Amino acid sequence: MGWRNVSTRSAVSGFQTFALVLAIACGLECALRGAEVDDAAASITADDLMRHIRTLASDEFEGRAPGTKGERLTVGYLTGEFQRMGLKPGNPDGSYVQPVPLVGTTATDVSVSYRAGEKRTDLVFPAEAVVWTKRFVPEINVVDSELVFVGYGVVAPEYGWDDFKGVDVRGKTIVILINDPPVPDPSDPLKLDGKVFNGSAMTYYGRWTYKYEIAAKQGAAAAIIVHETGPAGYPWAVVEGSNSRENFDLQSADRNMSRLAVEGWITLDKAKQLFAAAGQNFDQLKQSAVRRDFKPVPLGAKASFRFNNTLREVSSQNVIAKLEGSDPKLRNEYIVYTAHWDHLGRDTGLAGDQIFNGARDNASGVATLLELAEALGKLKTAPRRTMLFLSVTAEEKGLLGAKHYAAHPLYPLRRTLADFNIDSANPWGRTRDVNVIGYGQSTLEDVLQDVATAKGRTPTPDAEPEKGRYYRSDHFEFAKVGVPGLYLQSGVQFIGKPEEFGRQKIGAYTANDYHKVTDEIGADWDLSGMADDAGLLLEVGMRVANGEDYPKWKAGSEFKARREEMLKQAADK
Ligand SMILES: [Zn+2]
């Protein structure tokens, strides 16, 4: 349903408060416009959101894996919806899609083992160890590679931190801990030192993607991360579900030969056994790794990996629509909304339900994106700057669709003011608060603060900064190239619900449904909060699209320098 048909109480009350303030501030025309934006935000309803989610998360869509029937259906649905809404093709070539060339790799006949002394131990794939290669080669055979424990595997000059200390790990298999080194505060050992690695918040050094990047730079043959649920931010089942089947990467000229031969994870239990077999104590070594003077520890054991690697080229697609700006000068500046359409597909090896429906992750975000696009598209006067609605592919495979867009932007990134990312919206009802992931990053949060306050809502800092969520969804690829990104997540203060309701729902989802076949529409779902959050994002986007200033990274953001350099270069031209 479109918002023009909606003449509701909330729109009227919105008009009353807004019109009065705005009529004084900027005249009648402006006030009507404020009311119109209010109407647009209010036009996004739970029913409309649910309709999209039902389709996208249906079994027919087979879990929306890139390069499958699920992709064809999803891309068809999104394109059809954007057309129906009267939005223009977002690709300047006149289409609604941007091809994203991927290579799928599947490890088969996997053998993982280690030798300590005379004893050889095999690890069960994928229950005890998950391994893969990002190299585009038909097989991997790493034999008797020396195992070295490198602590957190971090090289961070700004903190005077180097876990490798010049130790040669070329051709070796390094064992790495997940997350940042949890350095205790010298004055209070029960707390983490806020001066290094952002205290308890995860920095990019804590992410698994970083661990493999640094390992490859050091010339290691293989890097195995020890899984721990707390520091990783998710249980072993997520590692297993996400990585043990087909893996994807973007096509690359060097066929990814600069990457590690083997990337992988091992369960905590099996890691402890490995260390014990080698005469080492895992817990003690882990303790020693929180110190700046930690040095890599050769384990005196050797690892072997053998598997076949089936390659498949897949042309996947980002889907993009455009709402042209109404200001002739500003319409060549851009605001992007992103939501990944892909999910984990189906696993024919599973008994019973085989389809990863991804109802929350991320049919909910795509539904929000579609509703935002529809509501904005119906405004009598479009925002001054151009709005892009980008539904990216292969987020679950490492943010690949967003990474591809950032590397091959359809519109200049220096004139892209912001990315608003929607990934896993709130399906449990209305909240007073809204959680800002990576709180403190950019001035987009100041705009959010204004809009939220006017709506009687409160933005709150990332409730679990230690999980590093700012580095785990598509806005991160925009951030990495300099474009400020805002990523909101469900609040926890649910209206009319007991205090602990929110944390319980979110906790249960992470433990039971996240990246599992049970991520389906729940009997308890109430999308009124999702509609609120969509309305909030709509108004924040409008403010930026109509505002005078470019949003900025705040002091201390790791992305600030990149943006400033980019804008300076643009100004020099
Ligand atoms: Zn996901």
Side-chain angles (χ1 to χ4, degrees):
M1 195 204 295
W3 69 270
R4 274 177 208 279
N5 304 326
V6 186
S7 111
T8 62
R9 271 185 304 123
S10 70
V12 172
S13 67
F15 181 82
Q16 284 165 344
T17 47
F18 245 74
L20 185 63
V21 176
L22 291 173
I24 296 162
C26 63
L28 184 63
E29 193 193 327
C30 176
L32 286 170
R33 220 169 143 174
E36 204 198 0
V37 174
D38 222 26
D39 267 357
S43 76
I44 298 173
T45 66
D47 285 351
D48 291 345
L49 290 164
M50 187 60 100
R51 188 168 47 84
H52 296 305
I53 297 173
R54 269 194 212 294
T55 304
L56 293 163
S58 65
D59 282 354
E60 194 196 351
F61 278 56
E62 293 186 353
R64 305 183 304 281
T68 67
K69 172 192 161 200
E71 162 154 6
R72 284 199 305 282
L73 291 176
T74 306
V75 170
Y77 182 73
L78 294 178
T79 304
E81 286 295 292
F82 284 139
Q83 271 169 336
R84 179 184 65 75
M85 295 169 188
L87 291 165
K88 291 198 172 145
N91 190 325
D93 75 1
S95 78
Y96 287 93
V97 294
Q98 176 185 38
V100 179
L102 301 173
V103 177
T105 53
T106 310
T108 54
D109 304 313
V110 180
S111 140
V112 182
S113 63
Y114 62 86
R115 258 185 336 111
E118 289 306 295
K119 193 169 180 274
R120 171 181 152 139
T121 306
D122 285 281
L123 295 170
V124 178
F125 171 93
E128 298 173 351
V130 177
V131 292
W132 65 89
T133 187
K134 287 289 175 87
R135 293 186 176 178
F136 305 150
V137 294
E139 65 177 338
I140 288 292
N141 198 7
V142 174
V143 181
D144 282 341
S145 152
E146 207 183 302
L147 279 154
V148 182
F149 174 64
V150 296
Y152 289 87
V154 170
V155 180
E158 69 274 35
Y159 300 126
W161 197 279
D162 178 1
D163 282 328
F164 290 90
K165 305 233 173 23
V167 172
D168 185 3
V169 296
R170 278 177 298 173
K172 297 177 183 170
T173 293
I174 63 177
V175 181
I176 313 182
L177 301 168
I178 192 66
N179 215 315
D180 309 315
V183 183
D185 190 323
S187 59
D188 178 1
L190 293 177
K191 280 200 209 133
L192 293 186
D193 188 345
K195 289 197 209 61
V196 277
F197 304 111
N198 255 346
S200 63
M202 190 194 280
T203 67
Y204 186 55
Y205 297 114
R207 289 285 293 149
W208 56 272
T209 46
Y210 170 80
K211 311 286 183 187
Y212 299 135
E213 283 165 16
I214 191 72
K217 253 190 217 159
Q218 301 282 331
I224 304 297
I225 297 172
V226 179
H227 176 263
E228 292 184 80
T229 302
Y234 37 75
W236 175 256
V238 172
V239 174
E240 206 178 318
S242 308
N243 299 305
S244 66
R245 295 173 293 134
E246 190 171 32
N247 282 297
F248 286 89
D249 205 1
L250 294 171
Q251 275 286 10
S252 82
D254 77 342
R255 302 190 63 75
N256 276 351
M257 293 310 286
S258 56
R259 303 277 295 251
L260 295 162
V262 177
E263 302 176 7
W265 292 76
I266 184 170
T267 63
L268 180 58
D269 279 358
K270 291 294 148 184
K272 285 183 173 179
Q273 283 176 21
L274 185 167
F275 280 61
Q280 302 279 358
N281 182 312
F282 174 80
D283 292 311
Q284 270 170 22
L285 285 186
K286 185 183 163 187
Q287 250 328 304
S288 70
V290 305
R291 295 168 54 106
R292 199 173 255 113
D293 60 4
F294 167 84
K295 281 202 192 72
V297 180
L299 292 178
K302 289 176 172 170
S304 296
F305 308 91
R306 220 218 69 77
F307 52 90
N308 294 323
N309 193 39
T310 312
L311 299 169
R312 182 168 73 103
E313 297 197 357
V314 175
S315 180
S316 190
Q317 293 179 308
N318 290 332
V319 184
I320 182 165
K322 169 168 87 168
L323 175 63
E324 201 135 75
S326 56
D327 184 315
K329 273 200 204 107
L330 294 181
R331 70 161 56 115
N332 66 355
E333 297 184 348
Y334 307 89
I335 312 297
V336 190
Y337 287 99
T338 47
H340 75 86
W341 61 254
D342 69 299
H343 195 54
L344 303 171
R346 73 186 300 168
D347 182 353
T348 49
L350 292 177
D353 189 358
Q354 299 180 332
I355 298 174
F356 291 81
N357 302 78
R360 179 161 185 247
D361 182 11
N362 184 30
S364 66
V366 176
T368 303
L369 181 82
L370 288 171
E371 286 302 301
L372 274 167
E374 180 163 36
L376 286 164
K378 287 190 172 175
L379 289 169
K380 270 200 217 72
T381 311
R384 293 166 73 195
R385 294 187 175 87
T386 295
M387 299 273 205
L388 300 170
F389 306 97
L390 173 62
S391 190
V392 289
T393 180
E395 188 270 354
E396 305 288 12
K397 309 299 179 193
L399 318 182
L400 298 179
K403 190 179 200 167
H404 182 77
Y405 183 91
H408 307 276
L410 296 173
Y411 304 92
L413 293 172
R414 64 174 192 278
R415 293 205 305 265
T416 302
L417 275 71
D419 173 43
F420 298 102
N421 186 47
I422 313 140
D423 187 355
S424 301
N426 160 28
W428 302 298
R430 306 184 68 191
T431 60
R432 273 182 290 274
D433 55 340
V434 60
N435 203 219
V436 182
I437 303 299
Y439 192 80
Q441 283 283 6
S442 81
T443 59
L444 290 171
E445 292 166 20
D446 304 339
V447 184
L448 170 72
Q449 182 73 52
D450 278 2
V451 175
T453 304
K455 288 174 170 293
R457 300 188 65 195
T458 318
T460 49
D462 196 340
E464 299 173 302
E466 70 280 4
K467 291 193 175 180
R469 287 226 179 79
Y470 199 75
Y471 314 100
R472 282 168 54 183
S473 192
D474 297 301
H475 58 282
F476 177 50
E477 293 298 336
F478 284 83
K480 260 178 154 175
V481 295
V483 178
L486 184 71
Y487 176 33
L488 303 181
Q489 267 283 334
S490 173
V492 293
Q493 301 162 26
F494 281 79
I495 295 171
K497 294 283 181 359
E499 175 74 32
E500 64 286 358
F501 177 87
R503 288 195 199 287
Q504 268 171 9
K505 285 288 178 197
I506 294 165
Y509 173 83
T510 308
N512 306 326
D513 304 320
Y514 173 65
H515 282 200
K516 296 204 182 120
V517 295
T518 50
D519 184 351
E520 295 176 331
I521 296 170
D524 59 341
W525 276 27
D526 164 2
L527 304 192
S528 54
M530 199 180 289
D532 280 358
D533 291 350
L536 194 60
L537 275 180
L538 180 145
E539 294 200 25
V540 175
M542 283 291 289
R543 290 270 184 110
V544 177
N546 291 333
E548 296 307 318
D549 302 325
Y550 271 42
K552 290 188 178 71
W553 295 105
K554 291 191 171 174
S557 167
E558 58 264 66
F559 312 110
K560 189 177 170 64
R562 180 84 184 79
R563 181 60 161 182
E564 283 170 0
E565 183 191 327
M566 174 194 261
L567 295 180
K568 186 170 174 293
Q569 276 175 8
D572 289 348
K573 268 181 201 157

